[in-house]
C-alpha cells in the first residue's frame, strides 16, 4: 500500500504545556488555582476543537457588504465562526475581566495573560480587538474620567456576552502610521456643544466594535503630537446601524485574514473627550503599553504552537530509517528553537506579572520603571523571534510546511504581524530610548542581578549577561548626546537588553527547578546563552556609506 504520512497532532495546549504548568506552580497562590485551571482547561479544549475545525474546512474570511438590496448603505460585515464565538468565549472564561478583577489583586494580569496565551490562535486573532478593549479600559481608568468609566467599563469588562462591547483604537492614518503626530482627523464642536470627528482612519482592526478611542486634532489646534486630543466614541445606534461612519473597504492582508481590518471615514461621529483637549498621546499611552503586552503574549503563543507541532511531527516522520527526533541535527534545531522560546516565555510572562503588580500598587517605584522599560523590549524581541521560529517550523516539515492545506504557512504569515502591530521593531527600539531617558538603566541592571543570583552553578550565565550589559552601558555612555548614533544602534541595544533580561529570568527558573530535580530549564538557559546575548552592532558604520 502507498505510504501516507501521519499528520501532526496538536497536543492539548494546556495539559501539555510544562512552562505554563510550572509558572502556575511558582507564581499563582494555591487558593487561586482552581478557577484558573478550569478556564485554562476549557480554553485548551477550545483550541483543540478550533485546530481540528480549521483543518477540516475551507478557511473563512470576513465579508463586507456595503449596499443593501434597495440601495441603502449598510456596511454589514459577516464574521468567521471563531469571531462569532468570540464574545461568549471571552466572557465565559474571563479572558478580559480577569485582568481587572479587584479580588485577584496583583495576580490578575498574570492569570489573564495565561488565558490570552491559550485562547489567541483558536480565536483567529479576535485577541486583537480584545487587546484594544483591554487597553481602552486601562486608559479610561488611568484618565480618571469617572463618567466614561461608569459608561464603558461595565461593557468592556463584562462576564456576560450580551452586555460585552469591543473597543477599537483608532490612531493610524494615511500620513501617520508610526508618526501619529501627523493625524489629520479633526474634532469639531457643533452648535449644541457636541464634539464630532471628521476624517479617515486607515487601519481599524476592531471595526466591528461598539466603541473606540480615537486621536483627533481639535479644530484650530496646532500641528504635531502635543496638540492631539483623545476621544471616546460609540459606533452604533441602539438598533445596530452604524452612526456617522462609513466602512470603505476591508484590507487585503498577508495574514490575520480572519480579522476584519478596515478603512473607514468618520463623518461627524459624536465623540467625547477622554481628558484635556491636548496631549492625547500621553493619555493613550497606557493603552499602547497594554496592547504591546498582548502582542508579546500572542507572539509567544505562536511560538508555543509552532514548537508543539514541530515536536509532534518529529516523532511521526521517519527519514533515513529513524524518526526525525533521533536525527542529531534535527533534534538540535528543535532544541535551539525551544531555548529561544523558553526565554521569550520567561520575559513575556514576567512583564505580565509586573503589570499586575504595578496596577495593584503592589510594586516599588523601581519596578514601575522596570515595567516601562521591559514592555517595549518584550514586544519588539518576541515580535521578531516569532517570525524566525515560525519560518524554522515550516522548514521542520520540509515541503509540507509550504503547502496551504496543512495550515502551516498561516503560522508564518500571521506571525509577521507581531513585528508591525502596535509599533514596528524600530519604533519600539526608539521607545526603548524614550523609556531609558526617563528610567535610566539601573532598574533593569538591578533586577537582572537579582534574577541571576549568586550560586556557583550559574557563573557562566552571570558572566555572559554582565558582559552584554557592560557593552550596552558602554554604547549608551559613548553616544550620550549624539541622537544619530544612539538611534542607529537602538535596535541592537534593545535586543541585547531583552536577551539579557530573558537570560537572567531563565537563570532564576533554572535555580528554582533544581530544587525539583528538573534539569530542563537549566538546559534551556545553556542553549539560550549559546546563541549569545549581545546584539549590538558596529556603531561606527555610517549607513549612508552603503545607501547613497
Ligand atoms: C493580538 C495582538 C494584540 C495587539 C493587537 C493590536 C492591534 C492594533 C492595530 C493598531 O492599531 S497598530 C497601530 C499602532 N500604532 C502605534 O503603535 C504607533 C507607533 N508610534 C509610536 O508608538 C510613537 O512612539 C508615539 C506615537 C506613541 C509617540 O511618538 P511622538 O509623536 O514622537 O510623541 P512623543 O512626544 O515622543 O510622546 C508623546 C507623549 O507620550 C510623551 O509624554 P509627555 O507628553 O508627557 O512628554 C511620551 O513620553 C509619551 N509616550 C509615548 N510613548 C509612550 C509614552 N508614555 C508611556 N509609554 C509609552 N510607550
Amino acid at each position: 500500500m502507498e505510504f501516507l504520512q501521519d499528520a501532526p497532532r496538536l497536543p492539548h495546549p494546556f495539559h501539555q504545556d510544562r512552562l505554563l504548568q510550572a509558572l502556575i506552580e511558582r507564581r499563582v497562590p494555591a487558593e487561586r488555582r482552581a478557577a484558573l485551571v478550569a478556564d485554562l482547561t476549557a480554553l485548551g479544549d477550545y483550541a483543540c476543537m478550533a485546530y481540528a475545525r480549521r483543518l477540516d474546512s475551507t478557511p473563512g474570511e470576513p465579508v463586507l457588504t456595503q449596499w443593501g438590496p434597495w440601495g441603502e448603505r449598510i456596511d454589514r460585515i459577516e464574521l468567521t465562526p471563531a469571531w462569532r464565538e468570540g464574545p461568549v468565549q471571552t466572557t465565559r472564561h474571563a479572558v478580559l475581566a480577569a485582568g481587572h478583577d479587584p479580588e485577584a489583586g496583583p495576580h490578575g494580569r498574570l492569570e489573564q495573560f495565561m488565558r490570552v496565551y491559550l485562547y489567541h490562535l483558536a480565536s483567529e486573532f479576535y485577541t486583537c480587538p480584545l487587546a484594544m478593549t483591554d487597553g481602552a479600559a486601562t486608559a479610561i481608568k488611568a484618565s480618571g474620567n469617572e463618567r466614561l468609566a461608569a459608561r464603558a467599563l461595565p461593557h468592556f469588562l463584562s462576564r456576560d456576552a450580551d452586555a460585552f462591547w469591543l473597543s477599537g483604537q483608532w490612531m493610524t492614518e494615511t500620513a501617520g502610521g508610526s508618526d501619529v503626530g501627523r493625524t489629520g482627523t479633526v474634532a469639531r464642536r457643533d452648535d449644541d456643544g457636541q464634539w464630532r470627528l471628521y476624517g479617515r482612519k486607515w487601519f481599524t482592526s476592531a471595526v466591528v466594535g461598539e466603541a473606540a478611542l480615537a486621536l483627533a486634532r481639535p479644530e484650530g489646534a496646532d500641528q504635531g503630537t502635543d496638540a492631539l486630543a483623545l476621544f471616546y466614541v460609540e459606533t452604533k445606534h441602539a438598533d445596530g446601524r452604524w452612526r456617522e461612519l462609513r466602512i470603505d473597504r476591508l484590507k487585503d492582508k498577508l495574514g490575520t485574514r480572519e480579522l476584519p481590518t478596515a478603512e473607514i471615514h468618520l463623518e461627524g461621529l459624536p465623540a467625547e473627550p477622554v481628558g484635556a483637549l491636548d496631549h492625547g498621546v500621553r493619555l493613550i499611552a497606557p493603552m499602547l503599553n497594554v496592547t504591546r503586552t498582548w502582542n508579546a503574549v500572542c507572539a509567544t503563543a505562536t511560538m508555543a504552537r509552532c514548537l508543539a507541532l514541530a515536536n509532534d511531527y518529529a516523532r511521526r516522520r521517519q527519514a533515513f530509517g529513524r524518526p526525525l527526533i533521533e536525527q542529531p541535527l534535527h533534534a538540535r534545531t528543535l532544541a535551539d528553537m525551544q531555548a529561544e522560546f523558553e526565554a521569550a516565555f520567561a520575559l513575556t510572562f514576567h512583564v505580565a506579572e509586573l503589570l499586575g503588580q504595578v496596577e495593584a500598587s503592589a510594586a516599588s517605584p523601581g519596578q514601575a520603571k522596570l515595567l516601562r522599560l521591559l514592555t517595549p523590549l518584550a514586544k519588539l524581541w518576541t515580535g521578531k523571534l516569532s517570525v524566525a521560529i515560525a519560518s524554522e517550523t515550516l522548514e521542520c516539515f520540509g515541503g509540507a510546511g509550504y503547502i496551504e492545506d496543512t495550515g502551516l504557512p498561516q503560522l508564518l504569515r500571521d506571525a509577521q504581524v507581531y513585528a508591525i502591530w502596535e509599533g514596528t521593531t524600530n519604533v519600539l527600539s526608539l521607545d526603548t530610548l524614550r523609556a531609558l531617558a526617563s528610567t535610566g538603566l539601573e532598574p533593569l541592571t538591578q533586577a537582572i542581578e537579582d534574577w541571576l543570583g549568586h550560586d556557583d552553578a550559574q557563573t557562566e550565565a552571570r558572566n555572559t549577561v554582565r558582559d552584554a550589559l557592560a557593552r550596552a552601558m558602554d554604547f549608551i555612555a559613548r553616544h550620550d548626546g549624539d541622537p544619530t548614533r544612539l538611534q542607529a544602534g537602538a535596535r541592537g541595544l534593545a535586543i541585547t537588553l531583552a536577551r539579557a533580561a530573558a537570560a537572567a529570568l531563565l537563570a532564576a527558573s533554572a535555580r528554582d527547578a533544581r530544587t525539583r530535580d528538573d534539569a530542563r530549564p537549566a538546559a534551556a538557559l545553556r542553549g539560550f546563552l549559546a546563541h549569545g546575548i549581545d546584539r549590538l552592532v558596529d556603531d561606527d558604520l555610517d549607513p549612508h556609506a552603503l545607501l547613497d
Side-chain angles (χ1 to χ4, degrees):
M1 189 167 139
E2 212 171 322
F3 173 75
L4 269 184
Q5 175 60 47
D6 248 6
R9 286 184 210 148
L10 180 68
H12 192 280
F14 176 50
H15 294 148
Q16 300 300 317
D17 191 324
R18 72 175 157 83
L19 298 186
L20 197 53
Q21 309 270 354
L23 188 62
I24 294 172
E25 188 82 9
R26 285 176 67 201
R27 308 303 305 169
V28 178
E31 70 278 9
R32 298 198 52 79
R33 288 184 200 154
L36 174 65
V37 166
D39 277 333
L40 296 182
T41 303
L43 288 167
D45 295 345
Y46 182 73
C48 291
M49 182 283 295
Y51 180 73
R53 178 169 68 184
R54 162 73 179 82
L55 291 179
D56 283 349
S57 52
T58 309
E61 293 193 5
V63 177
L64 169 66
T65 304
Q66 288 173 307
W67 301 99
W70 306 102
E72 70 279 29
R73 186 79 191 226
I74 53 172
D75 290 350
R76 185 182 66 226
I77 299 178
E78 286 158 70
L79 298 169
T80 63
W83 271 67
R84 292 199 298 273
E85 291 156 7
V88 168
Q89 291 300 319
T90 300
T91 51
R92 182 180 292 161
H93 303 301
V95 178
L96 257 183
H100 296 260
D101 180 357
E103 281 182 24
H107 305 287
R109 286 296 193 178
L110 182 61
E111 295 175 17
Q112 170 192 16
F113 281 114
M114 289 177 176
R115 291 167 163 95
V116 173
Y117 177 70
L118 289 186
Y119 182 42
H120 169 55
L121 286 175
S123 83
E124 297 180 346
F125 285 71
Y126 184 73
T127 37
C128 165
L130 288 183
M132 294 188 277
T133 308
D134 191 357
T138 308
I140 289 173
K141 278 187 193 173
S143 75
N145 185 330
E146 289 180 12
R147 208 205 69 77
L148 267 189
R151 167 83 187 153
L153 267 48
H155 293 293
F156 294 171
L157 305 178
S158 177
R159 291 176 190 246
D160 170 3
D162 291 333
F164 182 61
W165 283 3
L166 285 176
S167 169
Q169 166 194 308
W170 295 351
M171 293 203 303
T172 309
E173 301 195 0
T174 49
S178 298
D179 186 1
V180 169
R182 293 181 68 191
T183 292
T185 295
V186 171
R188 207 172 285 147
R189 210 165 191 179
D190 67 18
D191 293 342
D192 300 333
Q194 171 68 58
W195 285 98
R196 292 181 180 274
L197 303 188
Y198 299 85
R200 186 184 203 186
K201 294 288 178 183
W202 189 238
F203 274 92
T204 54
S205 285
V207 74
V208 291
E210 288 77 7
L213 293 188
L215 285 173
R217 197 175 303 284
E219 198 170 32
D222 290 344
Q223 293 305 300
T225 304
D226 292 350
L228 292 174
L230 184 63
F231 290 89
Y232 167 83
V233 298
E234 290 179 8
T235 57
K236 292 174 189 167
H237 293 287
D239 62 4
R241 280 179 306 116
W242 295 107
R243 301 178 84 156
E244 291 82 348
L245 72 83
R246 200 176 67 215
I247 302 178
D248 296 328
R249 61 174 166 167
L250 298 183
K251 296 282 194 188
D252 186 7
K253 292 171 291 173
L254 172 70
T256 67
R257 293 189 67 92
E258 298 90 346
L259 168 64
T261 306
E263 296 167 18
I264 62 175
H265 266 96
L266 308 178
E267 299 175 323
L269 185 67
E272 179 172 342
V274 173
L277 287 170
D278 55 5
H279 294 293
V281 170
R282 198 189 289 166
L283 275 177
I284 208 173
M287 178 171 196
L288 293 182
N289 291 330
V290 164
T291 50
R292 286 169 182 174
T293 307
W294 278 73
N295 207 97
V297 171
C298 295
T300 308
T302 285
M303 296 182 221
R305 172 64 60 91
C306 286
L307 276 153
L309 293 174
N311 270 305
D312 179 84
Y313 190 67
R315 286 162 178 80
R316 292 179 195 284
R317 175 72 175 172
Q318 302 255 346
F320 307 109
R322 293 186 281 186
L324 292 183
I325 195 71
E326 289 173 25
Q327 303 281 357
L329 184 52
H330 193 78
R332 180 60 202 250
T333 304
L334 288 175
D336 285 342
M337 291 156 72
Q338 180 73 22
E340 293 285 321
F341 159 62
E342 291 198 24
F345 182 97
L347 180 60
T348 297
F349 278 96
H350 186 75
V351 171
E353 185 172 14
L354 204 48
L355 176 65
Q357 291 165 342
V358 170
E359 287 180 344
S361 306
S364 65
Q367 283 175 307
K369 289 181 183 169
L370 181 63
L371 175 66
R372 172 68 184 96
L373 200 47
L374 287 183
T375 305
L377 294 181
K379 192 285 183 188
L380 74 90
W381 178 50
T382 56
K384 277 301 202 206
L385 188 56
S386 65
V387 179
I389 287 188
S391 170
E392 196 67 61
T393 297
L394 266 52
E395 217 174 312
C396 289
F397 289 86
Y402 203 63
I403 298 302
E404 279 298 335
D405 62 5
T406 61
L408 296 163
Q410 184 178 359
L411 288 168
L412 179 59
R413 280 201 308 272
D414 287 352
Q416 184 64 55
V417 86
Y418 303 125
I420 296 174
W421 260 352
E422 290 305 315
T424 60
T425 310
N426 283 356
V427 164
L428 271 289
S429 300
L430 299 178
D431 189 52
T432 304
L433 296 183
R434 189 192 280 108
L436 278 172
S438 68
T439 67
L441 204 48
E442 211 264 336
L444 181 61
T445 50
Q446 185 58 53
I448 285 177
E449 278 302 320
D450 291 347
W451 298 328
L452 286 172
H454 304 288
D455 58 318
D456 291 343
Q458 288 176 340
T459 308
E460 189 206 346
R462 262 198 305 280
N463 291 341
T464 312
V465 170
R466 282 178 184 161
D467 285 352
L469 280 180
R471 281 259 299 151
M473 283 189 259
D474 173 63
F475 169 81
I476 294 169
R478 270 187 299 119
H479 300 310
D480 193 21
D482 180 353
T484 304
R485 286 279 172 85
L486 212 50
Q487 288 183 19
R491 185 192 284 213
L493 173 69
I495 295 182
T496 301
L497 295 178
R499 294 182 70 83
L505 285 161
L506 274 186
S509 14
R511 200 163 49 247
D512 185 73
R514 265 207 311 279
T515 61
R516 287 178 277 111
D517 270 346
D518 181 357
R520 289 169 299 190
L525 172 62
R526 189 170 163 195
F528 186 64
L529 292 176
H531 302 155
I533 301 299
D534 180 0
R535 293 291 187 271
L536 280 152
V537 289
D538 172 3
D539 44 319
D540 286 328
L541 176 73
D542 172 8
H544 296 287
L546 281 169
L547 301 176
D548 286 347

